[in-house]
Amino acid sequence: MGLTGWTAGIGRIAAIALILVAPVIAQERRPVRRPAPASLPPPKQEAADVVCPTPLGEGVTTKLAFCDVMSGRNPAEGILVKLPPHRGPVTLTFDLHNRHTYSEEQVKANRAFSRYTATVGVLTMDNTLVSRAVVENEFRKVTDLVDRVTGGAGPGGVKAVAPTGTESISITIPEEEEQVSILGEKLTVERLDGTATYSSPGRPIAIISNVKIEYRPPPPPKPAAPAKPAPTKKPQ
């Protein structure tokens, strides 16, 4: 075989090899198809499911439900916020107010000044602190009240105790929690006759209202696979 024939033979062998290898290379380069992750429903915001052991009452103007935050150390005795089934963390929001006992006589005598600083804690049911919240404000006149509360013996059927000052609170609750508790920690009150601090258990520390949650529901369950039909028996 001459040099030309030998070269042609080598060329044919190389061409055959390329033909055999090309499908393998093409097959290796195909993208791997992975199953699409389950899509999660959009976030929801709704009024929270709240168990209030010491309700203060309903606001005359706002129609909000006001709840006293009592001081304590046992989460089971606090304001309980139940969380629905969720995926990811939950955002808990509420308005935190100070608690003022209104006196028309003190206002007229210019002796109603009070400065309040209240601290509350949001805890898991195993007594782990998630976060603290603080509201601070001053009271001088009736317009410093957020609202009056129904159900009292005063003029117009309102209670003497009313919310004053508003701090909008937002707290992120870890995904694994199903319920949290809100408990009072400390209240400092400054008046014309001096300053006092309260923290003993069982004392009203603050007021909350407008409790809401924002969360992402878990994905819907997968539909059950259709049952396989029973095999038909062949006639004998």
Side-chain angles (χ1 to χ4, degrees):
M1 181 184 295
L3 180 59
T4 302
W6 181 81
T7 303
I10 292 297
R12 284 194 296 272
I13 294 171
I16 294 170
L18 285 173
I19 292 171
L20 294 175
V21 172
V24 176
I25 295 175
Q27 186 176 6
E28 290 178 351
R29 290 180 179 176
R30 289 176 184 172
V32 178
R33 294 185 178 180
R34 295 182 174 88
S39 59
L40 292 174
K44 293 179 64 176
Q45 187 182 62
E46 60 190 30
D49 183 0
V50 178
V51 178
C52 174
T54 51
L56 179 60
E58 182 180 276
V60 173
T61 303
T62 62
K63 304 303 180 184
L64 290 172
F66 293 104
C67 180
D68 279 331
V69 186
M70 309 298 287
S71 57
R73 298 179 179 85
N74 183 0
E77 297 175 356
I79 300 171
L80 302 181
V81 181
K82 298 181 180 180
L83 307 179
H86 56 275
R87 179 67 60 86
V90 177
T91 301
L92 169 67
T93 60
F94 57 89
D95 290 335
L96 182 63
H97 316 282
N98 277 305
R99 196 175 186 278
H100 179 75
T101 302
Y102 179 73
S103 167
E104 185 72 25
E105 290 74 19
Q106 286 187 342
V107 171
K108 290 179 179 179
N110 292 323
R111 296 192 58 82
F113 169 79
S114 300
R115 180 183 291 114
Y116 300 96
T117 304
T119 305
V120 304
V122 177
L123 303 99
T124 63
M125 300 313 293
D126 64 357
N127 211 17
T128 300
L129 179 67
V130 178
S131 184
R132 287 186 174 90
V134 178
V135 58
E136 182 178 14
N137 78 290
E138 296 180 357
F139 176 88
R140 287 183 171 84
K141 53 190 181 301
V142 68
T143 53
D144 293 327
L145 296 177
V146 174
D147 202 350
R148 301 304 301 268
V149 180
T150 60
V158 296
K159 293 183 177 180
V161 175
T164 177
T166 300
E167 191 72 33
S168 297
I169 307 299
S170 178
I171 295 174
T172 300
I173 309 300
E175 179 180 12
E176 62 271 16
E177 302 303 328
E178 298 178 356
Q179 183 172 253
V180 292
S181 174
I182 303 174
L183 278 172
E185 290 190 356
K186 184 174 67 173
L187 170 64
T188 300
V189 184
E190 300 174 49
R191 295 191 177 95
L192 296 177
D193 55 355
T195 301
T197 299
Y198 308 97
S199 59
S200 56
R203 181 181 181 87
I205 296 294
I207 299 170
I208 66 168
S209 66
N210 198 29
V211 186
K212 296 181 180 179
I213 54 171
E214 183 174 324
Y215 66 100
R216 192 180 292 273
K222 294 181 179 180
K228 294 181 179 179
T232 56
K233 293 183 179 181
K234 293 182 179 180
Q236 298 293 334

